[in-house]
């Protein structure tokens, strides 16, 4: 099956809408619908139940989804590898959580460049978005935070711990509790990795700590800026705020619970991947902790 056919079909599955799938595929809805009609005509039958909202595969076609995702990943890897052979490029693509892009990726780029893998492409997103990039073939490796001791994401992934960090509550030195006793904080959405961790920490707060949610963001870098500007307390990876802590622009907030250890993990698809991705994995493992020089 053609690469673009598979991508079109999966776009509908993932979005549940022809309109959103067309937007994701950068094409008008009418042209996209004609493409799906042409695919179904070529296959000799209908794949989608258009009466359902969201649109979904017909029951007889649902078993195809896993095979389609595997085929897209394999084809994407082959196309990228063939392109690199033709052009002489030896690039590698990493999908990193936003905070890791600012703290860990410089050391990793230095390591990969040292073994001749250039350019190193960094794609940022939340943890789930990074894993989707890996599954779809848009990234060779994922670098993300994890809870120490937690098992692999799924049986289809291989993971390796390459470093550690600490999640701590930080604020501008001038920030304190409001007159009514409430403490302004930055929240993360419940459906992102740090959101679940911070929500768990908040359930263990002392009874006299009354939180006031001043802002909510899925971007750790935005939460970091809110803390530096004195708007609220933010729970941040220590590596992200190390320079500000040394300069006194951010301080640890006392009386709001313990710090939380974080693992830094590298993730790849088990049993597959381009030669460059395998070389990158081995180089990063051999280099040890990837944090930039001077960052604790």
């Amino acid at each position: 099956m053609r690469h673009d056919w598979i991508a079109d079909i999966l776009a509908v599955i993932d979005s549940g809408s022809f309109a959103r799938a067309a937007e994701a595929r950068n094409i008008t809805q009418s042209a996209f619908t004609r493409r799906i009609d042409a695919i179904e005509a070529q296959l000799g039958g209908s794949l989608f139940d258009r009466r359902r909202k969201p649109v979904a595969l017909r029951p007889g076609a649902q078993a195809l989804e896993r095979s389609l995702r595997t085929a897209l990943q394999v084809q994407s890897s082959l196309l990228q590898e063939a392109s690199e052979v033709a052009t002489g490029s030896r690039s590698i693509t990493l999908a990193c959580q936003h905070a890791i892009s600012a703290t860990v990726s410089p050391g990793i780029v230095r390591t990969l460049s040292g073994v001749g893998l250039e350019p190193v492409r960094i794609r940022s997103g939340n943890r789930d978005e990074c894993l989707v990039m890996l599954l779809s073939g848009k990234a060779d490796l994922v670098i993300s935070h994890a809870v120490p001791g937690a098992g692999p994401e799924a049986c289809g992934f291989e993971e390796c711990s390459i470093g550690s960090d600490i999640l701590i509550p930080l604020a501008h030195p001038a920030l304190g509790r409001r007159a009514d006793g409430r403490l302004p904080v930055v929240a993360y959405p419940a459906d992102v990795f740090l959101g679940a961790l911070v929500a768990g920490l908040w359930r263990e707060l002392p009874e006299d700590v009354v939180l006031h949610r001043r802002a909510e963001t899925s971007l750790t870098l935005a939460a970091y800026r809110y803390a530096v500007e004195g708007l609220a307390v933010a729970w941040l990876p220590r590596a992200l705020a190390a320079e500000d802590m040394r300069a006194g622009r951010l301080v640890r907030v006392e009386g709001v619970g313990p710090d939380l250890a974080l693992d830094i993990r590298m993730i790849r698809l088990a049993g597959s991947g381009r030669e460059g991705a395998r070389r990158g994995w081995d180089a990063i493992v051999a280099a040890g902790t990837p944090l930039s020089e001077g960052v604790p």
Side-chain angles (χ1 to χ4, degrees), residues 163-210:
S164 62
D165 205 339
I166 306 173
L167 190 69
I168 53 179
L170 294 169
H172 189 279
L175 183 71
R177 296 196 191 188
R178 293 169 26 166
D180 58 7
R182 294 189 295 172
L183 186 69
V185 298
V186 181
Y188 298 108
D191 59 349
V192 302
F193 175 73
L194 288 184
L197 294 187
V198 172
L201 292 173
W202 284 356
R203 286 193 289 270
E204 303 299 325
L205 288 176
E207 293 183 359
D208 64 335
V209 178
V210 180

Side-chain angles (χ1 to χ4, degrees), residues 17-23 27-36:
S17 161
F18 278 32
R20 289 193 294 272
E23 183 178 355
I27 190 174
T28 65
Q29 183 177 350
S30 59
F32 183 80
T33 301
R34 288 195 298 271
R35 277 174 32 171
I36 294 294

Side-chain angles (χ1 to χ4, degrees), residues 48-185:
F48 295 100
D49 183 351
R50 290 163 167 78
R51 297 170 300 177
R52 290 187 55 182
K53 300 296 181 185
V55 175
L57 287 172
R58 290 186 177 277
Q62 289 175 358
L64 292 172
E65 181 178 349
R66 183 171 182 178
S67 296
L68 289 171
R69 294 192 185 279
T70 300
L72 183 67
Q73 192 275 327
V74 171
Q75 288 185 4
S76 296
S77 294
L78 285 173
L79 287 171
Q80 185 174 4
E81 192 161 358
S83 174
E84 291 173 2
V85 168
T87 61
S89 173
R90 302 175 70 186
S91 67
I92 186 170
T93 301
L94 307 181
C96 303
Q97 283 177 288
H98 297 290
I100 283 178
S101 294
T103 57
V104 174
S105 69
I108 289 179
V109 170
R110 184 180 298 110
T111 295
L112 296 177
S113 296
V115 298
L117 290 173
E118 292 180 327
V120 182
R121 302 188 180 98
I122 304 297
R123 305 287 185 261
S124 295
N126 62 44
R127 184 178 171 87
D128 288 343
E129 290 169 341
C130 290
L131 293 174
V132 168
M133 283 187 257
L134 182 63
L135 286 169
S136 65
K138 295 179 180 178
D140 297 303
L141 303 172
V142 167
I143 312 295
S144 74
H145 288 122
V147 177
E153 279 292 325
C155 59
F157 295 111
E158 183 178 352
E159 301 189 14
C160 175
S161 178
I162 59 173
S164 62
D165 205 339
I166 306 173
L167 190 69
I168 53 179
L170 294 169
H172 189 279
L175 183 71
R177 296 196 191 188
R178 293 169 26 166
D180 58 7
R182 294 189 295 172
L183 186 69
V185 298

Side-chain angles (χ1 to χ4, degrees), residues 202-272:
W202 284 356
R203 286 193 289 270
E204 303 299 325
L205 288 176
E207 293 183 359
D208 64 335
V209 178
V210 180
L211 301 181
H212 167 60
R213 298 190 182 206
R214 176 162 283 177
E216 179 179 297
T217 178
S218 61
L219 294 176
T220 316
L221 296 176
Y224 156 71
R225 288 305 312 171
Y226 298 156
V228 170
E229 295 293 332
L231 292 173
V233 178
W235 273 253
L236 301 169
R238 190 176 190 274
L240 181 63
E243 183 177 342
D244 293 280
M245 293 173 68
R246 287 194 291 268
R249 291 185 294 268
L250 287 175
V251 296
R252 191 196 184 285
V253 180
E254 300 300 330
V256 290
D259 301 336
L260 180 67
L262 293 174
D263 233 2
I264 299 171
R265 292 191 187 175
M266 179 166 55
I267 306 171
R268 65 180 176 182
L269 293 176
S272 65

